[in-house]
Amino acid sequence: MATAEVRRSVESPAPAQAVPSGPSAAARAAHVERRARLIEQLRAAAAPPRLDKEISNLFRERERVPAARIDTRAFRHVLAVDPASGTVEVEGMCPYGELVDATLPMGVMPAVVPELMGITIGGALAGVGIESSSFRHGLVHETVLEFDMVTASGEVVTARPDNEHAELYFGFPNSYGTLGYAIRILAKTIPVKPYVRLEHRKFRDPEAYYAFLAATCDDPNADFVEGEIFAPDRLVVSVGRFVDRAPWTSDYTFEKIYYKSIQEREEDYLTVRDYIRRWDTDWFWCSKNLGMEIPLVRRLLGRERLNSRTYTRIMRWANRWNLGKVYDLLGYRSESVIQDVGIPLPKAPEFLAWFHETIGILPIWNCPFRAIHPHGFPLFHTPPGALFVNFGFWQPIRRREAKPDGWYNRQIEKKVAELGGVKSLYSDSYYPLDEFWQRYDREVYERLKRRYDPDRRLRDLYEKCVLKR
Ligand SMILES: Cc1cc2nc3c(=O)[nH]c(=O)nc-3n(C[C@H](O)[C@H](O)[C@H](O)COP(=O)(O)OP(=O)(O)OC[C@H]3O[C@@H](n4cnc5c(N)ncnc54)[C@H](O)[C@@H]3O)c2cc1C
C-alpha cells in the first residue's frame, strides 16, 4: 500500500451517506456475464450443488455424498470502491486479503475484516465473521448493506433490510449456503489512517480484565478492541487506535511472531495493513502445531508462504492421510475442539473459570461484539446492543481416558446455552435435532427455505452443520 495515498485520502474525508457511485459499465457487464455462467451451472446440476472455491475455512470434515461442484472461483472481483459513500461493492467469493488491498489505497477498509485473509466476504456473511472492530460495527453481516443471492434454481434476488427480501437479509447470516449463494455484496467501509497504535494492558484477575474490556468498548477513541488469555492469571486487553504518525513500526509478517509480542510489549505500532493481517501470519498461534515457530522453517518457507492459506492446505493434506490418527495408535483419545462461541459479557468470567477447569485449552482469543440492528438476526441471535465476548479456541484435546465422541464439544454447547450464549457453526456441532432448532430459529428458517429453495436442492442447516452432509 502506498502510505502517501492513504494519507491524502484521510486528509480530505468524504461526506458520509452519499449514494454509492457503483461499478463502471465494463465491471458491471463482466459481472453479469459471470453470473450468467453460474446460473447455467446451477440449472445443469444433477445433484445438490456444492461450492467449488479455492480454499475453505470450514473446520468440519464432510461425509462424501453426491454433489454437483459449482465453480465460483471467478467471483472474486472488487467491482467498486467508493470512499465518498463509505461503501465497497464486491463479488461474494472475494477473499478479504484481496478486498483489503483494493480498498486501502483509497483510504478505507471494510468496517469488519475477519483475521484470516483467505476468508471470503460471502463466506463471512453466510457464516459469521468477527474482528476487533465488531464491538462498534457488529459482526460482518451488520456491515453488509445489500447482497445478491443466487438460488439453487438459478434465480437472483437482491436482499436489503427494507425491501421485499428483508426476511432473507436478516435470515441469511449463519445459513451457511443452505438458502443460496451471495454473489454480489455492497458493504460498509471506514476511513483509515496510515498506522495503528496498539496498547497491550496486562491483567492477572479475570474480573478486572473483563471490566476493562467492557469499559474500553465504550471509549469513543478506541478503534479496535480484543483480548488474549495466555494463562488463568495472564490476560491482556489489546486496544488499537488509528494514528497519522508512528515513531517506529513492527513487522510480524516473517521472523517475529505477533502473539508473543503481546506478552512482551506494552505499546506497539503497525501499518494499518499489517494490523489487519496480524493474526494471519501465524494463524493466531496455531501455526506452531505445524512447526512454524522454528526460525529455520520460517526462513525456508519464506514470508510469502507464512499465512493461513498455506496452513489450511497443509491441514487438509494431513487430514486426507489421517496423520492426526498417529496419536490414537499411541493410546490417546483425540478430539478436535475448534470453536468460536459468544458469551454475554457479564457471564464471561463464569464461562472462563468453567472453561479452564473442563476444557483447558490455551491461549484463548476474546473478541467483544454486539448486534447493532434493532431487528436482530434470527439464525445468530444476540439481543441488539448487548455486549458479548467471543471465545475462540482451536486445538485438539488428547487424553488417555475414554470419552464418548464429541464429549468436550458437547460440554461447551451445553455451557454456552446455560449462559445465554451463541455458538458459530463453522466447525463440529453435536446438538440433538430438537435442541438445535431451539437455538437457531426454525420458523424463520423454514419460511426462507420454502420461499428460496422450495425443491430443497440445497441441504438443510442441521444436515449440513451437524450431520456434516
Ligand atoms: C480456526 C478458525 C478461525 C476462525 N477465525 C475467524 C476469525 O478470526 N474471524 C472470523 O470472522 N471468522 C473466523 N472463522 C470463521 C469463518 O469466518 C467462517 O468459517 C466463514 O464462513 C468462512 O468463510 P469462507 O469464505 O472461508 O467460506 P467457506 O469455508 O468456503 O464456506 C463456509 C460455509 O459458507 C458457505 N458459503 C461460502 N461462501 C458463500 C457464499 N458466497 N454464499 C453463501 N454461502 C457461502 C459454504 O457453503 C460453507 O457452508 C474462523 C474459522 C476457523 C476454523
Side-chain angles (χ1 to χ4, degrees):
M1 176 200 40
T3 309
E5 282 175 79
V6 171
R7 209 173 270 140
R8 207 179 317 125
S9 168
V10 166
E11 277 162 10
S12 50
Q17 312 209 321
V19 176
S21 60
S24 66
R28 171 79 65 203
H31 170 72
V32 168
E33 203 184 307
R34 286 189 286 278
R35 194 173 76 178
R37 285 203 297 272
L38 176 62
I39 291 170
E40 268 171 35
Q41 284 188 68
L42 284 163
R43 292 202 170 139
R50 180 173 291 179
L51 281 186
D52 193 357
K53 300 171 60 227
E54 193 189 339
I55 211 158
S56 166
N57 289 286
L58 220 47
F59 273 64
R60 60 181 118 82
E61 293 301 313
R62 293 175 71 174
E63 264 184 26
R64 292 192 185 278
V65 287
R69 295 245 161 223
I70 305 295
D71 186 350
T72 55
R73 275 174 273 214
F75 278 83
R76 62 189 310 145
H77 295 77
V78 179
L79 302 171
V81 183
D82 184 7
S85 64
T87 59
V88 58
E89 195 167 336
V90 55
E91 292 183 328
M93 285 69 183
C94 181
Y96 270 98
E98 291 171 26
L99 180 52
V100 164
D101 285 347
T103 57
L104 284 185
M106 311 281 282
V108 294
M109 64 180 271
V112 176
V113 178
E115 286 76 8
L116 308 183
M117 292 295 107
I119 292 177
T120 63
I121 185 163
L125 169 61
V128 173
I130 188 168
E131 223 292 276
S132 58
S133 57
S134 288
F135 72 99
R136 173 149 309 136
H137 303 288
L139 299 170
V140 164
H141 52 260
E142 299 238 30
T143 69
V144 168
L145 303 170
E146 69 171 41
F147 62 92
D148 285 353
M149 181 187 84
V150 61
T151 68
S153 59
E155 270 171 76
V156 178
V157 298
T158 301
R160 277 201 300 270
D162 57 356
N163 73 356
E164 70 274 28
H165 299 291
E167 188 160 47
L168 176 66
Y169 174 87
F170 292 108
F172 191 79
N174 217 32
S175 67
Y176 278 96
T178 63
L179 297 172
Y181 301 123
I183 53 169
R184 184 195 63 89
I185 293 169
L186 181 70
K188 263 200 284 189
T189 59
I190 53 172
V192 301
K193 291 184 181 177
Y195 305 103
V196 174
R197 176 184 179 269
L198 277 164
E199 189 190 338
H200 301 302
R201 284 283 293 266
K202 317 278 193 298
F203 293 86
R204 299 179 63 85
D205 167 39
E207 296 279 350
Y209 159 84
Y210 282 114
F212 184 76
L213 192 77
T216 311
C217 291
D218 290 331
D219 174 356
N221 295 317
D223 295 302
F224 304 101
V225 183
E226 65 188 343
E228 303 88 8
I229 299 169
F230 295 102
D233 61 353
R234 253 190 311 137
L235 310 93
V236 184
V237 175
S238 300
V239 186
R241 294 182 173 88
F242 284 124
V243 288
D244 287 310
R245 271 172 283 279
W248 80 88
T249 53
S250 297
D251 176 3
Y252 301 110
T253 61
F254 190 24
E255 293 187 87
K256 292 191 187 148
I257 296 175
Y258 178 65
Y259 84 90
K260 294 193 172 175
S261 78
I262 293 170
Q263 300 168 78
E264 290 154 8
R265 288 173 173 271
E266 302 291 324
E267 184 190 35
D268 210 346
Y269 289 87
L270 296 178
T271 64
V272 63
R273 186 174 189 273
D274 281 359
Y275 178 77
I276 291 170
R277 291 173 174 261
R278 71 201 177 287
W279 291 121
D280 195 64
T281 308
D282 281 284
W283 224 11
F284 286 85
W285 31 77
C286 300
S287 73
K288 68 169 177 275
N289 300 327
L290 305 175
M292 297 299 161
E293 290 190 2
I294 302 166
L296 182 63
V297 175
R298 291 178 92 79
R299 269 179 238 134
L300 286 176
L301 208 62
R303 194 189 288 270
E304 281 70 38
R305 281 191 289 272
L306 285 170
N307 58 51
S308 61
R309 286 174 187 228
T310 303
Y311 313 140
T312 305
R313 287 195 183 104
I314 296 174
M315 186 197 67
R316 300 233 182 273
W317 178 84
N319 284 351
R320 206 168 308 135
W321 292 97
N322 274 334
L323 296 188
K325 301 274 183 246
V326 169
Y327 286 93
D328 296 10
L329 300 176
L330 298 174
Y332 286 94
R333 300 274 305 190
S334 178
E335 182 177 331
S336 163
V337 181
I338 295 177
Q339 301 290 355
D340 278 71
V341 301
I343 302 293
L345 190 124
K347 302 280 185 188
E350 181 183 342
F351 181 78
L352 181 64
W354 172 87
F355 187 86
H356 285 320
E357 202 169 303
T358 317
I359 308 294
I361 293 175
L362 286 166
I364 300 167
W365 183 55
N366 260 178
C367 185
F369 70 95
R370 55 183 134 217
I372 312 288
H373 201 291
H375 181 282
F377 294 82
L379 296 189
F380 200 83
H381 182 72
T382 62
L387 199 54
F388 272 58
V389 185
N390 182 78
F391 285 70
F393 35 90
W394 316 289
Q395 207 168 289
I397 295 187
R398 295 193 177 102
R399 304 257 160 96
R400 286 212 180 259
E401 76 260 44
K403 298 261 193 228
D405 271 357
W407 191 86
Y408 292 101
N409 283 288
R410 188 68 191 123
Q411 301 315 303
I412 294 166
E413 287 173 358
K414 288 182 187 164
K415 193 68 189 177
V416 169
E418 181 194 318
L419 298 181
V422 59
K423 181 175 116 96
S424 57
L425 296 174
Y426 68 76
S427 177
D428 297 312
S429 294
Y430 291 86
Y431 293 109
L433 182 71
D434 286 354
E435 189 187 331
F436 181 83
W437 285 120
Q438 281 162 24
R439 317 246 158 267
Y440 306 95
D441 193 327
R442 180 174 218 163
E443 211 180 301
V444 171
Y445 182 73
E446 284 302 330
R447 219 166 29 238
L448 291 171
K449 208 61 183 157
R450 279 196 297 277
R451 181 160 176 196
Y452 297 101
D453 185 28
D455 302 328
R456 299 191 90 95
R457 297 188 69 216
L458 297 167
R459 309 225 182 256
D460 156 276
L461 191 63
Y462 184 79
E463 275 182 297
K464 193 166 183 180
C465 296
V466 183
L467 304 182
K468 304 179 189 177
R469 291 187 185 142

